[in-house]
Amino acid sequence: MRVLVLAATLAALSAGAALAAGALEAVPEAPAGSTDVKIAKMKFATPEVRIKAGSAVTWTNTEALPHNVHFKPGGSVDTELEGPMLRSNQTYSVKFNTPGTYDYICTPHPFMKGKVVVE
């Protein structure tokens, strides 16, 4: 009985650690080898990218109008992640820890949509 309780406790702790890490996380700088997505002409220049789990995507705003990257809960996203408003030539990077499909928008321009598919 003790072994069963110990196993259940360890499984719960492992699940909690996985949730704490999150499916995706903002990172302060673009990691080497991250996939680049340009924001230009009121759209994400590459509307869908495919990456491996543990990799990152970096968005760069190439126009004067501010934009952001906003992931809402649902599907593969376990918590909301809304990036800062990016001015011209500013970047924002996100690391994807868990396989899945991650849809995002630009908050002030919700017609701007993109998708990251993590394998």
Side-chain angles (χ1 to χ4, degrees):
M1 184 67 166
R2 286 184 195 172
V3 172
L4 185 57
V5 170
L6 179 61
T9 302
L10 289 174
L13 288 174
S14 295
L19 288 174
L24 46 88
E25 62 184 288
V27 292
E29 294 183 16
S34 69
T35 299
D36 294 320
V37 174
K38 303 286 186 223
I39 302 170
K41 299 180 182 177
M42 296 296 288
K43 64 182 179 179
F44 297 105
T46 311
E48 181 176 318
V49 295
R50 292 184 175 273
I51 61 171
K52 300 247 185 250
S55 299
V57 175
T58 299
W59 290 267
T60 303
N61 185 8
T62 64
E63 57 186 24
L65 194 62
H67 298 287
N68 75 344
V69 175
H70 185 182
F71 296 91
K72 292 186 177 183
S76 300
V77 180
D78 53 3
T79 57
E80 184 170 32
L81 182 62
E82 183 174 351
M85 293 305 293
L86 302 173
R87 298 196 183 284
S88 184
N89 296 316
Q90 288 183 318
T91 63
Y92 177 65
S93 298
V94 174
K95 180 179 174 192
F96 294 82
N97 299 313
T98 306
T101 300
Y102 300 83
D103 295 309
Y104 61 90
I105 62 168
C106 172
T107 305
H109 312 107
F111 57 87
M112 293 175 59
K113 297 179 182 182
K115 180 186 299 188
V116 179
V117 179
V118 182
E119 301 169 339

